[in-house]
Amino acid sequence: MKQDLDRILISKESIAERVAQIAATMTQDLYAQFTGPDAPMPTVDQLSHNNRHPQVTLVPILTGSLIFVADLIRHLPLYLQIRLMGVSSYPGTATATRGASVKKQLTDLPESLAGHHVLLIDDILDSGGTLKLAVELLKERQPASVQTCVLLRKQRPEAMAFPVDYVCFDIPDEFVVGYGLDFDDYYRNLPDIHTLRPEVARAH
Ligand code: IMP
Ligand code: MG
């Protein structure tokens, strides 16, 4: 499998550091929204069903954001639930975006998200088609707020112009795999983020 890979773009150590950092910012932002910027942060022990902490719903977009979300939530001392959303962005081949569609059988959003602060999480922002569709679907459920977070954003005009609240890394416009990101559903299990050899991507 290594012969398909070009170079390590982001190491697992850098990912871990940045994920912890962005989780801290998210937590502070959410509490600021609720209690004002100077309110003390509650500890995990204070989180309970009864003490009116913000209702936070994390919505990972399947499948690419799974590993990111698994790491992220362990740095979020928030009272939160997870609802999954399945979106396919590449029906057919792996490297050309052909628009996004919701996979209903993989989506478990409740009919109403009233009162919930939603954090929508995706692995990578490329054309913006996936996030646009996902945000529309969430807003129909009338949440208190929707914020978006991506692990990676490609430095291409469509991605840079798309409004997103949290970005862990801006990367060059190359095809990447690892840490949840796939090429034809493979390579998600690589701990680092790698670029794929262009000739491998082109062969599909
Ligand atoms: P968008 O809808 O064009 O923004 O694309 C977002 C989706 O495309 C992501 O959720 C990924 O699943 C996939 N994607 C885009 N670029 C890459 C890449 O370089 N590697 C792996 N998946 C990618
Ligand atoms: Mg994908």
Side-chain angles (χ1 to χ4, degrees):
M1 95 175 174
K2 288 273 149 73
Q3 64 265 31
D4 291 347
L5 306 176
D6 182 15
R7 62 187 196 282
I8 291 184
L9 189 65
I10 310 172
S11 70
K12 54 183 184 294
E13 293 80 12
S14 311
I15 298 171
E17 194 180 316
R18 182 70 180 127
V19 169
Q21 201 179 55
I22 213 121
T25 310
M26 272 177 181
T27 306
Q28 272 159 13
D29 290 353
L30 265 165
Y31 276 109
Q33 203 174 330
F34 262 78
T35 53
D38 301 324
M41 289 273 284
T43 66
V44 184
D45 320 340
Q46 292 169 315
L47 307 179
S48 112
H49 220 68
N50 302 320
N51 65 0
R52 299 224 236 106
H53 275 295
Q55 288 270 21
V56 177
T57 299
L58 217 94
V59 180
I61 296 180
L62 297 172
T63 303
S65 69
L66 278 185
I67 297 179
F68 174 37
V69 164
D71 284 343
L72 185 76
I73 54 171
R74 284 175 284 176
H75 291 285
L76 294 175
L78 298 167
Y79 185 64
L80 64 81
Q81 59 170 8
I82 297 180
R83 297 296 189 143
L84 303 173
M85 192 186 289
V87 178
S88 47
S89 52
Y90 296 145
T93 60
T95 51
T97 298
R98 303 269 156 88
S101 62
V102 176
K103 291 184 186 167
K104 290 221 169 64
Q105 67 280 23
L106 292 179
T107 298
D108 76 339
L109 293 178
E111 273 179 25
S112 167
L113 283 165
H116 285 247
H117 292 264
V118 174
L119 276 171
L120 178 64
I121 318 280
D122 204 4
D123 53 358
I124 186 164
L125 175 58
D126 187 3
S127 71
T130 303
L131 273 192
K132 183 169 180 291
L133 180 80
V135 168
E136 279 167 13
L137 212 81
L138 288 169
K139 288 200 168 155
E140 285 170 11
R141 288 160 170 78
Q142 326 232 276
S145 69
V146 178
Q147 295 207 295
T148 47
C149 170
V150 292
L151 175 69
L152 307 175
R153 175 171 62 183
K154 284 198 184 170
Q155 285 172 315
R156 54 179 282 204
E158 297 92 322
M160 300 307 284
F162 192 91
V164 61
D165 298 292
Y166 302 97
V167 176
C168 290
F169 300 97
D170 278 311
I171 61 162
D173 188 5
E174 289 181 67
F175 201 84
V176 291
V177 294
Y179 196 69
L181 291 120
D182 71 300
F183 173 63
D184 272 351
D185 258 319
Y186 288 90
Y187 298 121
R188 296 193 196 276
N189 51 327
L190 296 170
D192 308 284
I193 295 173
H194 303 247
T195 56
L196 199 67
R197 283 189 195 284
E199 59 273 25
V200 176
R202 269 198 305 271
H204 276 255

